[in-house]
């Protein structure tokens, strides 16, 4: 079974768990996705499944894309992504993948393009501190300061400076799936995920070890009594 899906970020809200705790969650429209292609090790050198998500208008596609979808008898899709799988025997072109691929209690990795924040100073971009605001230094309060030194007499590569902030491809690992609504294709994922609202998300079963919840140990004094 494919433990991956393409989704769309709807927004954030909060729900109560079984113990009455308030949990912040991100609402994600997960699928439905259509299998638009199957990659085999014999032909392509690797095993993978290509999924398509979100219907697109044919007039906004180029001719090779239109021909690809017509050849496979699939409605045009905006987003196409590949996911590696070990066994492709159970997949075929046109097959539908829905949100019920996951269930409450699963842990997932979410990848997306972060929100772009434009050109930012070192204070916002790298969490630098301000310079003194007294004795005539007010015009340099948010300035970075000196870039060089007596030794190299040049700016070293990789030095933290102001520049473009955000708009980077980021993966947040091991996020808990709080709830799944299979009928509406909605997932509630605990915490925040990257991307702007309506941004595309790639959701996969986590690569990290799933934490084991241990039951509290019984009191030894209570047993003696």
């Amino acid at each position: 079974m494919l433990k991956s899906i393409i989704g769309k970020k709807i927004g954030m809200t909060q729900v109560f768990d079984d113990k009455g705790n308030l949990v912040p969650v991100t609402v994600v429209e997960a699928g439905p996705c259509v299998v638009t292609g199957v990659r085999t090790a014999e032909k392509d050198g690797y095993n993978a499944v290509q999924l398509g998500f979100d219907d697109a208008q044919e007039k906004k596609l180029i001719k090779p894309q239109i021909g690809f979808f017509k050849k496979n008898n699939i409605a045009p899709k905006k987003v196409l992504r590949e996911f590696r799988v070990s066994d492709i025997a159970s997949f075929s072109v046109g097959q539908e993948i829905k949100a019920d691929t996951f269930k409450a209690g699963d842990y997932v990795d979410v990848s997306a393009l972060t929100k772009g924040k434009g050109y930012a100073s070192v204070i916002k971009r790298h969490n630098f501190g301000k310079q003194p605001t007294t004795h005539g230094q007010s015009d340099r309060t948010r300035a970075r300061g000196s870039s060089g030194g007596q030794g190299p007499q040049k700016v070293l590569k990789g030095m933290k400076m102001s520049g473009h902030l955000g708009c980077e491809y980021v993966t947040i690992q091991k996020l808990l799936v709080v709830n799944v609504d299979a009928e509406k294709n909605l997932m509630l994922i605990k915490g925040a995920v990257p991307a702007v609202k309506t941004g595309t998300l790639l959701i996969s079963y986590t690569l990290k070890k799933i934490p084991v919840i241990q039951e509290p140990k019984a009191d030894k004094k209570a047993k003696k009594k």
Side-chain angles (χ1 to χ4, degrees), residues 82-121:
E82 284 188 3
F83 298 93
R84 296 290 184 99
V85 292
S86 57
D87 184 18
I88 60 172
S90 59
F91 299 102
S92 59
V93 176
Q95 182 180 347
E96 199 171 47
I97 308 296
K98 296 185 177 181
D100 55 5
T101 301
F102 300 94
K103 63 181 185 303
D106 287 347
Y107 284 84
V108 294
D109 296 340
V110 181
S111 303
L113 197 66
T114 60
K115 182 187 295 185
K117 298 181 180 179
Y119 193 91
S121 67

mmCIF file of all heavy atoms in Angstrom, residues 82-121:
data_model
loop_
_atom_site.group_PDB
_atom_site.id
_atom_site.type_symbol
_atom_site.label_atom_id
_atom_site.label_comp_id
_atom_site.label_asym_id
_atom_site.label_seq_id
_atom_site.Cartn_x
_atom_site.Cartn_y
_atom_site.Cartn_z
ATOM 1 N N GLU A 82 6.212 12.106 -8.045
ATOM 2 C CA GLU A 82 6.552 10.690 -7.980
ATOM 3 C C GLU A 82 6.909 10.302 -6.548
ATOM 4 O O GLU A 82 7.530 11.080 -5.823
ATOM 5 C CB GLU A 82 7.742 10.372 -8.894
ATOM 6 C CG GLU A 82 7.390 10.318 -10.361
ATOM 7 C CD GLU A 82 8.546 9.810 -11.212
ATOM 8 O OE1 GLU A 82 9.594 9.447 -10.636
ATOM 9 O OE2 GLU A 82 8.413 9.781 -12.446
ATOM 10 N N PHE A 83 6.539 9.071 -6.180
ATOM 11 C CA PHE A 83 6.865 8.522 -4.869
ATOM 12 C C PHE A 83 7.473 7.134 -5.073
ATOM 13 O O PHE A 83 6.884 6.292 -5.764
ATOM 14 C CB PHE A 83 5.615 8.431 -3.982
ATOM 15 C CG PHE A 83 4.974 9.757 -3.679
ATOM 16 C CD1 PHE A 83 3.946 10.255 -4.475
ATOM 17 C CD2 PHE A 83 5.411 10.513 -2.611
ATOM 18 C CE1 PHE A 83 3.365 11.474 -4.210
ATOM 19 C CE2 PHE A 83 4.826 11.747 -2.327
ATOM 20 C CZ PHE A 83 3.803 12.223 -3.126
ATOM 21 N N ARG A 84 8.630 6.905 -4.470
ATOM 22 C CA ARG A 84 9.292 5.612 -4.604
ATOM 23 C C ARG A 84 8.534 4.546 -3.821
ATOM 24 O O ARG A 84 8.070 4.783 -2.700
ATOM 25 C CB ARG A 84 10.736 5.698 -4.088
ATOM 26 C CG ARG A 84 11.643 6.637 -4.887
ATOM 27 C CD ARG A 84 11.945 6.071 -6.254
ATOM 28 N NE ARG A 84 12.884 6.893 -7.002
ATOM 29 C CZ ARG A 84 14.181 6.641 -7.107
ATOM 30 N NH1 ARG A 84 14.710 5.573 -6.503
ATOM 31 N NH2 ARG A 84 14.977 7.421 -7.806
ATOM 32 N N VAL A 85 8.436 3.363 -4.393
ATOM 33 C CA VAL A 85 7.802 2.215 -3.740
ATOM 34 C C VAL A 85 8.659 0.986 -3.994
ATOM 35 O O VAL A 85 9.414 0.920 -4.977
ATOM 36 C CB VAL A 85 6.360 1.971 -4.258
ATOM 37 C CG1 VAL A 85 5.426 3.083 -3.845
ATOM 38 C CG2 VAL A 85 6.354 1.800 -5.767
ATOM 39 N N SER A 86 8.548 0.008 -3.104
ATOM 40 C CA SER A 86 9.325 -1.224 -3.260
ATOM 41 C C SER A 86 8.636 -2.219 -4.189
ATOM 42 O O SER A 86 9.285 -2.962 -4.918
ATOM 43 C CB SER A 86 9.560 -1.871 -1.886
ATOM 44 O OG SER A 86 8.319 -2.114 -1.241
ATOM 45 N N ASP A 87 7.290 -2.211 -4.175
ATOM 46 C CA ASP A 87 6.527 -3.158 -4.994
ATOM 47 C C ASP A 87 5.471 -2.390 -5.783
ATOM 48 O O ASP A 87 4.644 -1.676 -5.208
ATOM 49 C CB ASP A 87 5.869 -4.213 -4.108
ATOM 50 C CG ASP A 87 5.144 -5.272 -4.938
ATOM 51 O OD1 ASP A 87 5.440 -5.379 -6.140
ATOM 52 O OD2 ASP A 87 4.289 -5.978 -4.370
ATOM 53 N N ILE A 88 5.475 -2.535 -7.100
ATOM 54 C CA ILE A 88 4.529 -1.803 -7.950
ATOM 55 C C ILE A 88 3.433 -2.704 -8.510
ATOM 56 O O ILE A 88 2.622 -2.267 -9.334
ATOM 57 C CB ILE A 88 5.275 -1.133 -9.120
ATOM 58 C CG1 ILE A 88 5.996 -2.191 -9.966
ATOM 59 C CG2 ILE A 88 6.233 -0.080 -8.615
ATOM 60 C CD1 ILE A 88 6.579 -1.637 -11.236
ATOM 61 N N ALA A 89 3.402 -3.946 -8.050
ATOM 62 C CA ALA A 89 2.444 -4.908 -8.609
ATOM 63 C C ALA A 89 0.995 -4.497 -8.350
ATOM 64 O O ALA A 89 0.100 -4.803 -9.141
ATOM 65 C CB ALA A 89 2.707 -6.295 -8.030
ATOM 66 N N SER A 90 0.740 -3.781 -7.253
ATOM 67 C CA SER A 90 -0.634 -3.446 -6.873
ATOM 68 C C SER A 90 -1.094 -2.098 -7.411
ATOM 69 O O SER A 90 -2.167 -1.621 -7.022
ATOM 70 C CB SER A 90 -0.760 -3.457 -5.346
ATOM 71 O OG SER A 90 0.136 -2.532 -4.759
ATOM 72 N N PHE A 91 -0.305 -1.470 -8.291
ATOM 73 C CA PHE A 91 -0.671 -0.145 -8.805
ATOM 74 C C PHE A 91 -0.902 -0.202 -10.308
ATOM 75 O O PHE A 91 -0.242 -0.945 -11.033
ATOM 76 C CB PHE A 91 0.445 0.867 -8.500
ATOM 77 C CG PHE A 91 0.707 1.055 -7.035
ATOM 78 C CD1 PHE A 91 1.795 0.438 -6.434
ATOM 79 C CD2 PHE A 91 -0.127 1.824 -6.250
ATOM 80 C CE1 PHE A 91 2.042 0.604 -5.091
ATOM 81 C CE2 PHE A 91 0.113 1.994 -4.900
ATOM 82 C CZ PHE A 91 1.195 1.376 -4.318
ATOM 83 N N SER A 92 -1.855 0.596 -10.764
ATOM 84 C CA SER A 92 -2.160 0.689 -12.182
ATOM 85 C C SER A 92 -2.600 2.116 -12.505
ATOM 86 O O SER A 92 -3.102 2.837 -11.636
ATOM 87 C CB SER A 92 -3.266 -0.302 -12.570
ATOM 88 O OG SER A 92 -4.446 -0.040 -11.823
ATOM 89 N N VAL A 93 -2.418 2.521 -13.744
ATOM 90 C CA VAL A 93 -2.789 3.869 -14.181
ATOM 91 C C VAL A 93 -4.300 4.049 -14.067
ATOM 92 O O VAL A 93 -5.081 3.197 -14.502
ATOM 93 C CB VAL A 93 -2.313 4.110 -15.627
ATOM 94 C CG1 VAL A 93 -2.790 5.469 -16.118
ATOM 95 C CG2 VAL A 93 -0.800 4.014 -15.715
ATOM 96 N N GLY A 94 -4.704 5.157 -13.463
ATOM 97 C CA GLY A 94 -6.128 5.428 -13.254
ATOM 98 C C GLY A 94 -6.610 5.079 -11.863
ATOM 99 O O GLY A 94 -7.719 5.458 -11.484
ATOM 100 N N GLN A 95 -5.797 4.379 -11.091
ATOM 101 C CA GLN A 95 -6.176 4.009 -9.724
ATOM 102 C C GLN A 95 -6.254 5.255 -8.843
ATOM 103 O O GLN A 95 -5.473 6.197 -9.003
ATOM 104 C CB GLN A 95 -5.142 3.031 -9.156
ATOM 105 C CG GLN A 95 -5.438 2.533 -7.755
ATOM 106 C CD GLN A 95 -4.376 1.566 -7.267
ATOM 107 O OE1 GLN A 95 -3.556 1.083 -8.048
ATOM 108 N NE2 GLN A 95 -4.385 1.279 -5.990
ATOM 109 N N GLU A 96 -7.197 5.279 -7.911
ATOM 110 C CA GLU A 96 -7.418 6.440 -7.055
ATOM 111 C C GLU A 96 -6.856 6.195 -5.659
ATOM 112 O O GLU A 96 -7.078 5.139 -5.070
ATOM 113 C CB GLU A 96 -8.905 6.763 -6.975
ATOM 114 C CG GLU A 96 -9.211 8.175 -6.505
ATOM 115 C CD GLU A 96 -10.674 8.536 -6.639
ATOM 116 O OE1 GLU A 96 -11.525 7.721 -6.237
ATOM 117 O OE2 GLU A 96 -10.975 9.620 -7.163
ATOM 118 N N ILE A 97 -6.128 7.184 -5.145
ATOM 119 C CA ILE A 97 -5.563 7.143 -3.795
ATOM 120 C C ILE A 97 -6.264 8.208 -2.964
ATOM 121 O O ILE A 97 -6.255 9.395 -3.326
ATOM 122 C CB ILE A 97 -4.040 7.396 -3.808
ATOM 123 C CG1 ILE A 97 -3.337 6.453 -4.793
ATOM 124 C CG2 ILE A 97 -3.470 7.244 -2.412
ATOM 125 C CD1 ILE A 97 -3.447 4.989 -4.427
ATOM 126 N N LYS A 98 -6.870 7.808 -1.848
ATOM 127 C CA LYS A 98 -7.644 8.737 -1.020
ATOM 128 C C LYS A 98 -6.992 8.939 0.352
ATOM 129 O O LYS A 98 -5.976 8.335 0.663
ATOM 130 C CB LYS A 98 -9.070 8.224 -0.847
ATOM 131 C CG LYS A 98 -9.858 8.151 -2.148
ATOM 132 C CD LYS A 98 -11.292 7.759 -1.902
ATOM 133 C CE LYS A 98 -12.110 7.754 -3.191
ATOM 134 N NZ LYS A 98 -13.519 7.385 -2.958
ATOM 135 N N ALA A 99 -7.634 9.784 1.157
ATOM 136 C CA ALA A 99 -7.078 10.131 2.465
ATOM 137 C C ALA A 99 -7.067 8.959 3.427
ATOM 138 O O ALA A 99 -6.318 8.975 4.413
ATOM 139 C CB ALA A 99 -7.876 11.300 3.073
ATOM 140 N N ASP A 100 -7.900 7.918 3.177
ATOM 141 C CA ASP A 100 -7.930 6.785 4.093
ATOM 142 C C ASP A 100 -6.656 5.948 4.013
ATOM 143 O O ASP A 100 -6.542 4.911 4.684
ATOM 144 C CB ASP A 100 -9.155 5.905 3.822
ATOM 145 C CG ASP A 100 -9.223 5.435 2.374
ATOM 146 O OD1 ASP A 100 -8.283 5.703 1.606
ATOM 147 O OD2 ASP A 100 -10.238 4.802 2.012
ATOM 148 N N THR A 101 -5.681 6.391 3.202
ATOM 149 C CA THR A 101 -4.349 5.774 3.225
ATOM 150 C C THR A 101 -3.732 5.900 4.611
ATOM 151 O O THR A 101 -2.982 5.027 5.054
ATOM 152 C CB THR A 101 -3.438 6.447 2.181
ATOM 153 O OG1 THR A 101 -4.031 6.314 0.898
ATOM 154 C CG2 THR A 101 -2.059 5.821 2.161
ATOM 155 N N PHE A 102 -4.076 6.986 5.307
ATOM 156 C CA PHE A 102 -3.586 7.212 6.671
ATOM 157 C C PHE A 102 -4.744 7.083 7.648
ATOM 158 O O PHE A 102 -5.908 7.162 7.278
ATOM 159 C CB PHE A 102 -2.957 8.601 6.788
ATOM 160 C CG PHE A 102 -1.785 8.821 5.868
ATOM 161 C CD1 PHE A 102 -1.960 9.409 4.624
ATOM 162 C CD2 PHE A 102 -0.513 8.434 6.247
ATOM 163 C CE1 PHE A 102 -0.892 9.611 3.779
ATOM 164 C CE2 PHE A 102 0.571 8.627 5.406
ATOM 165 C CZ PHE A 102 0.387 9.214 4.175
ATOM 166 N N LYS A 103 -4.384 6.927 8.907
ATOM 167 C CA LYS A 103 -5.393 6.845 9.965
ATOM 168 C C LYS A 103 -4.903 7.626 11.175
ATOM 169 O O LYS A 103 -3.710 7.983 11.271
ATOM 170 C CB LYS A 103 -5.647 5.379 10.355
ATOM 171 C CG LYS A 103 -4.449 4.663 10.944
ATOM 172 C CD LYS A 103 -4.796 3.222 11.284
ATOM 173 C CE LYS A 103 -3.651 2.501 11.984
ATOM 174 N NZ LYS A 103 -2.407 2.496 11.207
ATOM 175 N N ALA A 104 -5.800 7.908 12.092
ATOM 176 C CA ALA A 104 -5.431 8.627 13.309
ATOM 177 C C ALA A 104 -4.388 7.844 14.098
ATOM 178 O O ALA A 104 -4.510 6.638 14.272
ATOM 179 C CB ALA A 104 -6.672 8.864 14.162
ATOM 180 N N GLY A 105 -3.359 8.548 14.537
ATOM 181 C CA GLY A 105 -2.274 7.915 15.272
ATOM 182 C C GLY A 105 -1.025 7.690 14.436
ATOM 183 O O GLY A 105 0.044 7.404 14.990
ATOM 184 N N ASP A 106 -1.140 7.823 13.109
ATOM 185 C CA ASP A 106 0.036 7.694 12.244
ATOM 186 C C ASP A 106 0.930 8.928 12.386
ATOM 187 O O ASP A 106 0.471 10.011 12.767
ATOM 188 C CB ASP A 106 -0.378 7.537 10.784
ATOM 189 C CG ASP A 106 -0.953 6.157 10.495
ATOM 190 O OD1 ASP A 106 -0.794 5.264 11.346
ATOM 191 O OD2 ASP A 106 -1.565 5.984 9.430
ATOM 192 N N TYR A 107 2.201 8.738 12.044
ATOM 193 C CA TYR A 107 3.156 9.851 12.016
ATOM 194 C C TYR A 107 3.609 10.051 10.576
ATOM 195 O O TYR A 107 3.926 9.080 9.874
ATOM 196 C CB TYR A 107 4.359 9.566 12.917
ATOM 197 C CG TYR A 107 4.054 9.726 14.390
ATOM 198 C CD1 TYR A 107 3.471 8.694 15.106
ATOM 199 C CD2 TYR A 107 4.319 10.920 15.058
ATOM 200 C CE1 TYR A 107 3.176 8.833 16.456
ATOM 201 C CE2 TYR A 107 4.023 11.070 16.405
ATOM 202 C CZ TYR A 107 3.455 10.016 17.096
ATOM 203 O OH TYR A 107 3.165 10.173 18.425
ATOM 204 N N VAL A 108 3.644 11.308 10.137
ATOM 205 C CA VAL A 108 3.933 11.607 8.737
ATOM 206 C C VAL A 108 5.019 12.680 8.629
ATOM 207 O O VAL A 108 5.273 13.442 9.576
ATOM 208 C CB VAL A 108 2.669 12.090 7.996
ATOM 209 C CG1 VAL A 108 1.632 10.980 7.911
ATOM 210 C CG2 VAL A 108 2.074 13.329 8.668
ATOM 211 N N ASP A 109 5.663 12.695 7.458
ATOM 212 C CA ASP A 109 6.583 13.764 7.083
ATOM 213 C C ASP A 109 5.891 14.625 6.040
ATOM 214 O O ASP A 109 5.348 14.106 5.057
ATOM 215 C CB ASP A 109 7.890 13.201 6.506
ATOM 216 C CG ASP A 109 8.663 12.388 7.527
ATOM 217 O OD1 ASP A 109 8.416 12.557 8.730
ATOM 218 O OD2 ASP A 109 9.518 11.579 7.112
ATOM 219 N N VAL A 110 5.915 15.946 6.226
ATOM 220 C CA VAL A 110 5.239 16.876 5.319
ATOM 221 C C VAL A 110 6.284 17.771 4.663
ATOM 222 O O VAL A 110 7.060 18.437 5.357
ATOM 223 C CB VAL A 110 4.194 17.730 6.060
ATOM 224 C CG1 VAL A 110 3.497 18.674 5.098
ATOM 225 C CG2 VAL A 110 3.170 16.836 6.756
ATOM 226 N N SER A 111 6.294 17.777 3.326
ATOM 227 C CA SER A 111 7.237 18.597 2.562
ATOM 228 C C SER A 111 6.462 19.634 1.751
ATOM 229 O O SER A 111 5.413 19.328 1.176
ATOM 230 C CB SER A 111 8.070 17.733 1.617
ATOM 231 O OG SER A 111 8.767 16.731 2.326
ATOM 232 N N ALA A 112 7.007 20.869 1.710
ATOM 233 C CA ALA A 112 6.341 21.928 0.955
ATOM 234 C C ALA A 112 7.279 23.109 0.795
ATOM 235 O O ALA A 112 8.351 23.173 1.414
ATOM 236 C CB ALA A 112 5.058 22.367 1.654
ATOM 237 N N LEU A 113 6.862 24.054 -0.032
ATOM 238 C CA LEU A 113 7.591 25.304 -0.236
ATOM 239 C C LEU A 113 7.109 26.309 0.800
ATOM 240 O O LEU A 113 5.904 26.568 0.894
ATOM 241 C CB LEU A 113 7.346 25.828 -1.646
ATOM 242 C CG LEU A 113 8.312 26.879 -2.187
ATOM 243 C CD1 LEU A 113 9.708 26.293 -2.352
ATOM 244 C CD2 LEU A 113 7.806 27.420 -3.518
ATOM 245 N N THR A 114 8.040 26.861 1.578
ATOM 246 C CA THR A 114 7.660 27.775 2.652
ATOM 247 C C THR A 114 7.179 29.118 2.101
ATOM 248 O O THR A 114 7.423 29.454 0.938
ATOM 249 C CB THR A 114 8.831 28.015 3.616
ATOM 250 O OG1 THR A 114 9.929 28.585 2.883
ATOM 251 C CG2 THR A 114 9.273 26.718 4.254
ATOM 252 N N LYS A 115 6.538 29.878 2.957
ATOM 253 C CA LYS A 115 6.027 31.191 2.584
ATOM 254 C C LYS A 115 7.194 32.151 2.315
ATOM 255 O O LYS A 115 8.113 32.278 3.120
ATOM 256 C CB LYS A 115 5.152 31.746 3.703
ATOM 257 C CG LYS A 115 4.519 33.093 3.404
ATOM 258 C CD LYS A 115 3.820 33.653 4.622
ATOM 259 C CE LYS A 115 2.642 32.801 5.034
ATOM 260 N NZ LYS A 115 1.889 33.426 6.167
ATOM 261 N N GLY A 116 7.167 32.839 1.180
ATOM 262 C CA GLY A 116 8.204 33.821 0.861
ATOM 263 C C GLY A 116 7.970 35.117 1.627
ATOM 264 O O GLY A 116 6.855 35.634 1.663
ATOM 265 N N LYS A 117 9.035 35.653 2.225
ATOM 266 C CA LYS A 117 8.915 36.870 3.040
ATOM 267 C C LYS A 117 9.744 38.027 2.493
ATOM 268 O O LYS A 117 9.957 39.015 3.185
ATOM 269 C CB LYS A 117 9.323 36.560 4.479
ATOM 270 C CG LYS A 117 8.430 35.515 5.128
ATOM 271 C CD LYS A 117 8.809 35.232 6.555
ATOM 272 C CE LYS A 117 7.887 34.184 7.177
ATOM 273 N NZ LYS A 117 8.256 33.879 8.578
ATOM 274 N N GLY A 118 10.251 37.867 1.267
ATOM 275 C CA GLY A 118 10.964 38.969 0.636
ATOM 276 C C GLY A 118 12.356 39.186 1.203
ATOM 277 O O GLY A 118 12.946 38.318 1.860
ATOM 278 N N TYR A 119 12.915 40.373 0.964
ATOM 279 C CA TYR A 119 14.257 40.719 1.434
ATOM 280 C C TYR A 119 14.188 41.081 2.911
ATOM 281 O O TYR A 119 13.405 41.931 3.313
ATOM 282 C CB TYR A 119 14.798 41.890 0.613
ATOM 283 C CG TYR A 119 16.276 42.143 0.798
ATOM 284 C CD1 TYR A 119 17.199 41.530 -0.033
ATOM 285 C CD2 TYR A 119 16.744 42.976 1.793
ATOM 286 C CE1 TYR A 119 18.556 41.748 0.113
ATOM 287 C CE2 TYR A 119 18.090 43.204 1.957
ATOM 288 C CZ TYR A 119 18.996 42.592 1.118
ATOM 289 O OH TYR A 119 20.339 42.805 1.279
ATOM 290 N N ALA A 120 14.997 40.439 3.721
ATOM 291 C CA ALA A 120 14.953 40.651 5.169
ATOM 292 C C ALA A 120 16.349 40.934 5.722
ATOM 293 O O ALA A 120 17.355 40.486 5.167
ATOM 294 C CB ALA A 120 14.362 39.424 5.863
ATOM 295 N N SER A 121 16.383 41.645 6.832
ATOM 296 C CA SER A 121 17.658 41.974 7.476
ATOM 297 C C SER A 121 18.129 40.801 8.321
ATOM 298 O O SER A 121 17.428 39.803 8.494
ATOM 299 C CB SER A 121 17.497 43.220 8.358
ATOM 300 O OG SER A 121 16.649 42.927 9.457
#
